[in-house]
Amino acid sequence: MKPAFLASLFAASVLAASPAAAAGLTIAVVAPGEGPLAILGRQVRDGARFAAEAAGDTVVEIAEACDETDGDGIARQILAADASAAVGFLCTEGLSAALPALAEANVPAVTLSVRSGILMEDALKKGWPLFRLAPGPKAEADKAVEVITRDWKSESFALIDDGTIHARELVEAVRLALEEVGMKPTFVDTFRPAQEQQLTLVRRLAKTGVTHVFVGGDRTDVAIIARDAKAEEKQLALLGGEALVGADPVVPMTDGVEAVALPDYQSLPEGEPVARAMAEKDIVAEGYVLPAHAAVTALAAAAAEGGDLTARLAVGRFATAIGTLAFGADHELRENPYRLLVWRAGAFVPVETAAESD
């Protein structure tokens, strides 16, 4: 990351804008305020408020119930606040109910969490101004295929899953995409999850001669497979999906295990200076904090260009705390937000970061 770019991003994200430069937007922040998702809602509000205050914009907080009671009440509150845009939307119910009214008022909505493919298809078909900062439903498989086709071309590899719906669908999507480019797995299987050991699985994999394994499974199972492979002195390069990123105090992960997942944005060059400034205000830049900050930053930059805000958001490129944001014609992120991470010294870090430290 070039120093000049970092300085520019830091100034845009942290320093207060002058009255002349301030966009003067009113941005609705839609997020849970109570219940089990309240902590995530606070993350959204903290990140959005921090960015809005820096740009001289105004935040209007709107509670999201994340159930059928949301109805069209969210849209009414957004329009009553005369908001220029809305960010947040951690749940499908309120977002889907609000979009028709927001479309009529030409108020863009940026979801940080909702991954429904059907909702986005409806939005595109009906002209609703929905933009997705969360990964789309195909993004995880697409990134896994990108990694495997790039790094495993000459390797004998296996595709295995734990039998759960998501894992099976993920592995099947990866398998079909790989076969389209002429890469066929040596071994495909479903393993039994939640076992204290996976020695039988490890020995079966080794017997087939595979050296690389893509695992559709959770963190604990992959940690056990890695541990048992090491104990058996079997060289297996393991790659998993987003399910690998999560706390597991029982089974430690083995260095070298890779995962296709979202990075910890506060540890990246774009996010670190913003996270440091937030820490001075007692804000921990975790979870949705930096994505919410990025959404508001992008909206402020789009508004500063003048003209129709929805149109500007659709075609612009915006420097943010989670990297450069740009949307495709499908209103999904133009660049896949998933990164290839590797486990090093107790954490998943981007492979390029690990390479620099080696």
Side-chain angles (χ1 to χ4, degrees):
M1 186 62 57
K2 295 181 179 179
F5 176 81
L6 278 179
S8 172
L9 175 61
F10 182 76
S13 304
V14 181
L15 300 179
S18 66
L25 292 176
T26 297
I27 300 174
V29 179
V30 182
E34 299 178 348
L37 299 180
I39 186 170
L40 303 182
R42 186 176 73 243
Q43 292 171 0
V44 175
R45 289 187 292 275
D46 284 346
R49 192 185 306 112
F50 194 87
E53 289 175 354
D57 294 331
T58 301
V59 161
V60 175
E61 297 178 3
I62 296 174
E64 184 178 25
C66 287
D67 59 31
E68 65 279 357
T69 63
D70 275 331
D72 61 354
I74 288 176
R76 286 200 302 269
Q77 293 179 71
I78 293 172
L79 299 181
D82 198 24
S84 301
V87 304
F89 296 104
L90 300 192
C91 303
T92 305
E93 294 88 349
L95 177 58
S96 59
L99 280 170
L102 297 184
E104 187 174 345
N106 194 26
V107 175
V110 182
T111 177
L112 307 181
S113 177
V114 175
R115 302 188 181 191
S116 168
I118 294 175
L119 180 58
M120 183 57 84
E121 289 174 9
D122 286 345
L124 295 173
K125 189 183 304 180
K126 298 175 182 179
W128 295 341
L130 173 62
F131 296 85
R132 178 154 37 209
L133 220 59
K138 295 174 54 183
E140 186 178 16
D142 287 348
K143 190 65 178 182
V145 170
E146 176 191 323
V147 171
I148 293 171
T149 54
R150 183 191 66 209
D151 298 343
W152 296 8
K153 281 184 178 179
S154 303
E155 309 294 346
S156 176
F157 66 93
L159 304 176
I160 63 175
D161 69 80
D162 65 6
T164 59
I165 293 175
H166 175 74
R168 295 189 74 169
E169 290 180 346
L170 173 62
V171 169
E172 181 66 2
V174 169
R175 184 186 68 80
L176 292 174
L178 290 176
E179 290 189 354
E180 287 182 1
V181 296
M183 292 183 68
K184 291 189 176 182
T186 303
F187 182 71
V188 178
D189 196 19
T190 297
F191 67 91
R192 189 176 179 184
Q195 303 299 296
E196 293 184 359
Q197 52 85 15
Q198 292 286 359
L199 290 171
T200 300
L201 173 62
V202 167
R203 290 165 184 164
R204 288 176 64 202
L205 289 166
K207 191 173 182 179
T208 66
V210 302
T211 57
H212 291 62
V213 185
F214 179 75
V215 186
D218 67 19
R219 179 188 175 104
T220 300
D221 286 328
V222 174
I224 290 172
I225 293 170
R227 180 201 67 194
D228 290 353
K230 185 177 181 180
E232 290 284 293
E233 298 184 348
K234 306 298 184 184
Q235 298 297 317
L236 294 178
L238 301 177
L239 170 67
E242 190 173 28
L244 269 62
V245 180
D248 183 357
V250 179
V251 184
M253 191 64 76
T254 301
D255 277 1
V257 172
E258 294 181 334
V260 167
L262 299 177
D264 180 6
Y265 292 116
Q266 64 180 314
S267 68
L268 301 183
E270 301 94 333
E272 192 276 334
V274 180
R276 190 169 58 244
M278 287 179 168
E280 295 178 359
K281 302 290 186 179
D282 295 324
I283 298 173
V284 179
E286 62 185 357
Y288 289 109
V289 173
L290 290 182
H293 184 281
V296 172
T297 299
L299 285 166
E305 296 176 0
D308 182 84
L309 179 57
T310 301
R312 291 295 184 185
L313 188 62
V315 300
R317 292 182 62 85
F318 312 103
T320 77
I322 64 172
T324 300
L325 295 187
F327 297 97
D330 57 1
H331 288 197
E332 305 277 8
L333 288 172
R334 192 171 297 171
E335 295 185 9
N336 195 321
Y338 283 110
R339 305 275 285 271
L340 178 60
L341 311 180
V342 61
W343 186 264
R344 284 284 188 273
F348 277 109
V349 297
V351 290
E352 56 269 26
T353 301
E356 291 171 2
S357 63
D358 287 345

